[in-house]
Amino acid sequence: MSTLHVALLGFGTVGKGIYETIGKQQDHLRAVIGKEVKVSTIVVKDLGHHADYQGSAKLTTDMQEIIQDQKIDVVMEAIVGKQPAFDYLQQCIIQGKHVITANKEMFAAYGCALQKLAEKHHTKIAYEATTAGGIPIIATIQQLLQANHINNIQAILNGTSNFILTAMRTDHLSFDKALEKAQELGYAEADPTNDIDGHDAYFKAMILSELVFGRKPAPENIQVTGIRDISSDFLQSACPKRIKHLVTLARTDGDIICRIEPQALSETHPLFAVEGVDNAVHLQTDILGNLTLTGPGAGALPTASAMIEDLCTIVKEEQAVLPIEKALAPHY
Amino acid sequence: MSTLHVALLGFGTVGKGIYETIGKQQDHLRAVIGKEVKVSTIVVKDLGHHADYQGSAKLTTDMQEIIQDQKIDVVMEAIVGKQPAFDYLQQCIIQGKHVITANKEMFAAYGCALQKLAEKHHTKIAYEATTAGGIPIIATIQQLLQANHINNIQAILNGTSNFILTAMRTDHLSFDKALEKAQELGYAEADPTNDIDGHDAYFKAMILSELVFGRKPAPENIQVTGIRDISSDFLQSACPKRIKHLVTLARTDGDIICRIEPQALSETHPLFAVEGVDNAVHLQTDILGNLTLTGPGAGALPTASAMIEDLCTIVKEEQAVLPIEKALAPHY
């Protein structure tokens, strides 16, 4: 049985989740793609942070060990921020490697550029894990767009904000206490700015906009408000409605509109019952009607699941195309 | 631009929905698959029922006009009952045609046999429209199974039953009055047995069981109870819980268990808020966690959407494989 060589870029919570899941699901992966999946190299920022590492993959701080290694077929990236991720992935693509990313900030900024580069170099780029955690929203939208136009999306895309709003409402906590609880439970970072000020939801909304509408909204059509200024009293006064941090993306008169803001949802709204760290996406389409997907919005395992789904899809697509290359373009 | 020749088997509500949608989405389909999609032949039971037909596709009662027509690439089947659908589709597959079906009763009985036959004859068979209406549940499960085991499914799979239970609870109707309302609105057949006695949900559960667990439950592990004996008083007395007609599929100690029966769901249950003719499927997986999909459970357009998604997937897979055949097996 042949071996698929994989490199990881980043070995934080998500990177470790991918590494452990690939190890644990080895038999399953063999059955699905007919290959052994081997993580050969992991690039980290600081070896000192991984002194207790016991795995068999090589840990290194030198990205060139991935880029220059001809054996590595796929690079799975789970680091934070636009750079150096964008530079690294460009170099991987130029070397003919497939790329799977969970990096929403980078992909929101450079997704189109990376997709064009990948097309040019006959490699694949997949990004299921960037948006809505474990919910297979990218694959589902790609599936629906075959027969439908999607005209409107409403979504809860930040699990931390949804957890805080849920805890404030159900446990009558102040914003600060709910944030503290989220941090204790590992649902919020020490610096929660990205989550509570709507930046994280904004990155995901831009990725969805490019997928669904083929482009981002014009800057003047984007409005982002976080949840920092919401009081427990305000949440209670909205009852029986529930305040949710809602992303709305809509096509109106040729423009794309994006609003990210707290909104009061009534009991019959499809996202009313989405509580805690869950995410959900409600799609309005022209043929199918309305579809709602609800599931875990973040976490190491849901993210690992999404990235491994991407890995299998890429391998299967390659297996279909490979014989063409072999037969028609032996020089390729 | 080349043309994809499609035949329809059945021209009732769903068949007409497919025909009209393919016509309406012609530009969209051209962009997605790079081909003109032409419905050339429609097989009906009785030409007299279609005296007002004005379309350009040929109407016929002779199935051989599809089976023997070498030009027809794909057959889309939307008739009812195991036979003659199974015989017809077998003959189409043997002639090398791809097959897309919305026929849950037939596919629940013969899905495995048709899939094996299709594999033998290098054709594709797709069945997204058999289960959960417009919800892309087959594609989603295929996507998730790449990285996950699915251990448990809870679902609302019969829109008619869900509509009746919702109307009885919210409008305080008797079962008979609610059924009458469903029939008036076109949500229930003149003979509603299949829906209200759980047969329709059973067909869909068997299709999901084969997809998720690789086999059906043993007959002694299947229990089916419909909604015929439920009274409005019983629904009111369950309040604040809601009685839903629930399908449960689970793997326990190597056995597959299937229970289809009315159950009281509390407010926090993921299917509590699924009302009216909607369907929903809640999947419990080992890596990703829990995922819920909610959408239209039936209807001509959602079914047409699912079948056109299948059509596009088949064409794209064929476009990837075709050059292999051309290059490696010119005799094929």
Side-chain angles (χ1 to χ4, degrees), chain A residues 25 28 134 143 145-149 242 267 287-288 290 292-294 296 301 305 309 313 316 320 324 327-328, chain B residues 25 28 134 143 145-149 242 267 287-288 290 292-294 296 301 305 309 313 316 320 324 327-328:
Chain A
Q25 299 288 77
H28 187 82
Q143 164 86 3
L145 284 177
Q146 299 184 119
N148 293 270
H149 295 95
R242 290 181 185 168
E267 200 213 342
I287 308 292
L288 159 68
N290 299 343
T292 308
L293 291 91
T294 309
L301 289 183
S305 174
E309 289 160 34
T313 303
K316 285 194 216 156
I324 307 176
L328 300 182
Chain B
Q25 299 287 78
H28 187 81
Q143 164 87 2
L145 283 177
Q146 299 184 121
N148 293 270
H149 295 96
R242 289 181 185 169
E267 199 213 342
I287 308 292
L288 159 67
N290 300 342
T292 308
L293 290 90
T294 308
L301 289 184
S305 173
E309 288 160 35
T313 303
K316 284 195 217 157
I324 305 176
L328 300 181

Side-chain angles (χ1 to χ4, degrees), chain A:
Chain A
M1 185 176 285
S2 67
T3 302
L4 184 81
H5 293 272
V6 171
L8 295 187
L9 185 38
F11 202 50
T13 316
V14 170
K16 282 177 187 149
I18 302 164
Y19 187 64
E20 280 158 26
T21 306
I22 287 177
K24 208 173 110 186
Q25 299 288 77
Q26 208 47 251
D27 289 347
H28 187 82
L29 286 168
R30 243 181 253 129
V32 173
I33 58 173
K35 285 179 185 243
E36 195 92 31
V37 177
K38 192 184 167 193
V39 179
S40 53
T41 314
I42 303 170
V43 169
V44 298
K45 217 170 168 181
D46 183 344
L47 287 173
H49 289 166
H50 304 278
D52 57 347
Y53 171 72
Q54 302 272 342
S56 57
K58 184 180 178 188
L59 282 196
T60 174
T61 56
D62 181 6
M63 185 61 197
Q64 291 304 320
E65 292 206 32
I66 292 183
I67 294 166
Q68 302 301 334
D69 186 343
Q70 299 291 322
K71 261 200 197 157
I72 291 170
D73 305 295
V74 182
V75 178
M76 300 175 89
E77 182 247 329
I79 55 180
V80 172
K82 286 189 255 191
Q83 291 291 12
F86 179 50
D87 277 352
Y88 285 172
L89 294 191
Q90 282 180 293
Q91 293 180 63
C92 292
I93 290 168
I94 290 168
Q95 291 300 320
K97 300 179 193 317
H98 303 302
V99 158
I100 298 168
T101 179
N103 185 337
K104 57 211 86 164
E105 181 172 1
M106 183 280 299
F107 203 79
Y110 301 119
C112 266
L114 284 178
Q115 285 171 309
K116 276 183 197 152
L117 190 69
E119 207 171 310
K120 188 177 157 196
H121 290 273
H122 308 286
T123 69
K124 309 263 178 201
I125 179 153
Y127 57 101
E128 185 63 79
T130 58
T131 305
I135 301 172
I137 190 63
I138 305 297
T140 302
I141 288 175
Q142 286 167 337
Q143 164 86 3
L144 297 186
L145 284 177
Q146 299 184 119
N148 293 270
H149 295 95
I150 295 172
N151 297 317
N152 186 298
I153 298 176
Q154 290 187 295
I156 293 172
L157 293 176
N158 185 264
T160 308
S161 293
N162 204 47
F163 175 86
I164 291 172
L165 293 178
T166 306
M168 286 172 73
R169 193 190 79 243
T170 57
D171 302 342
H172 299 258
L173 299 182
S174 68
F175 175 82
D176 289 338
K177 284 278 172 213
L179 172 58
E180 215 170 88
K181 193 175 166 188
Q183 285 167 325
E184 276 167 26
L185 291 167
Y187 299 150
E189 309 282 335
D191 176 2
T193 311
N194 256 351
D195 290 322
I196 64 177
D197 287 342
H199 305 319
D200 174 84
Y202 163 79
F203 300 143
K204 294 164 177 171
M206 293 305 104
I207 293 170
L208 288 182
S209 182
E210 287 193 332
L211 176 62
V212 170
F213 303 120
R215 60 192 162 99
K216 289 177 189 153
E220 64 272 23
N221 290 333
I222 301 172
Q223 179 197 319
V224 182
T225 309
I227 61 163
R228 204 187 274 269
D229 297 329
I230 288 184
S231 70
S232 177
D233 285 350
F234 178 66
L235 289 182
Q236 306 306 335
S237 70
C239 196
K241 289 189 175 181
R242 290 181 185 168
I243 306 291
K244 297 284 174 192
H245 191 238
L246 198 73
V247 173
T248 306
L249 270 168
R251 185 177 4 218
T252 49
D253 301 330
D255 280 337
I256 316 295
I257 307 288
C258 175
R259 286 201 318 272
I260 302 172
E261 62 193 356
Q263 283 207 20
L265 308 185
S266 65
E267 200 213 342
T268 54
H269 191 282
L271 306 183
F272 175 83
V274 181
E275 296 274 74
V277 289
D278 269 358
N279 276 197
V281 183
H282 178 71
L283 304 166
Q284 293 181 13
T285 77
D286 57 346
I287 308 292
L288 159 68
N290 299 343
L291 184 74
T292 308
L293 291 91
T294 309
L301 289 183
T303 308
S305 174
M307 296 182 84
I308 292 170
E309 289 160 34
D310 279 345
L311 184 72
C312 293
T313 303
I314 284 176
V315 172
K316 285 194 216 156
E317 284 175 5
E318 222 200 4
Q319 283 166 342
V321 176
L322 213 59
I324 307 176
E325 293 173 1
K326 277 192 189 144
L328 300 182
H331 61 282
Y332 173 75

Side-chain angles (χ1 to χ4, degrees), chain B residues 248-322:
Chain B
T248 306
L249 271 168
R251 187 178 1 219
T252 48
D253 300 331
D255 280 337
I256 316 296
I257 308 288
C258 175
R259 287 200 319 272
I260 301 172
E261 62 194 357
Q263 281 207 21
L265 308 186
S266 65
E267 199 213 342
T268 55
H269 191 282
L271 306 182
F272 175 84
V274 181
E275 296 273 74
V277 288
D278 269 357
N279 277 198
V281 184
H282 177 71
L283 305 166
Q284 292 182 13
T285 78
D286 57 347
I287 308 292
L288 159 67
N290 300 342
L291 184 74
T292 308
L293 290 90
T294 308
L301 289 184
T303 307
S305 173
M307 295 181 85
I308 292 170
E309 288 160 35
D310 279 345
L311 184 74
C312 293
T313 303
I314 283 176
V315 172
K316 284 195 217 157
E317 283 175 6
E318 221 200 4
Q319 283 166 342
V321 176
L322 215 59

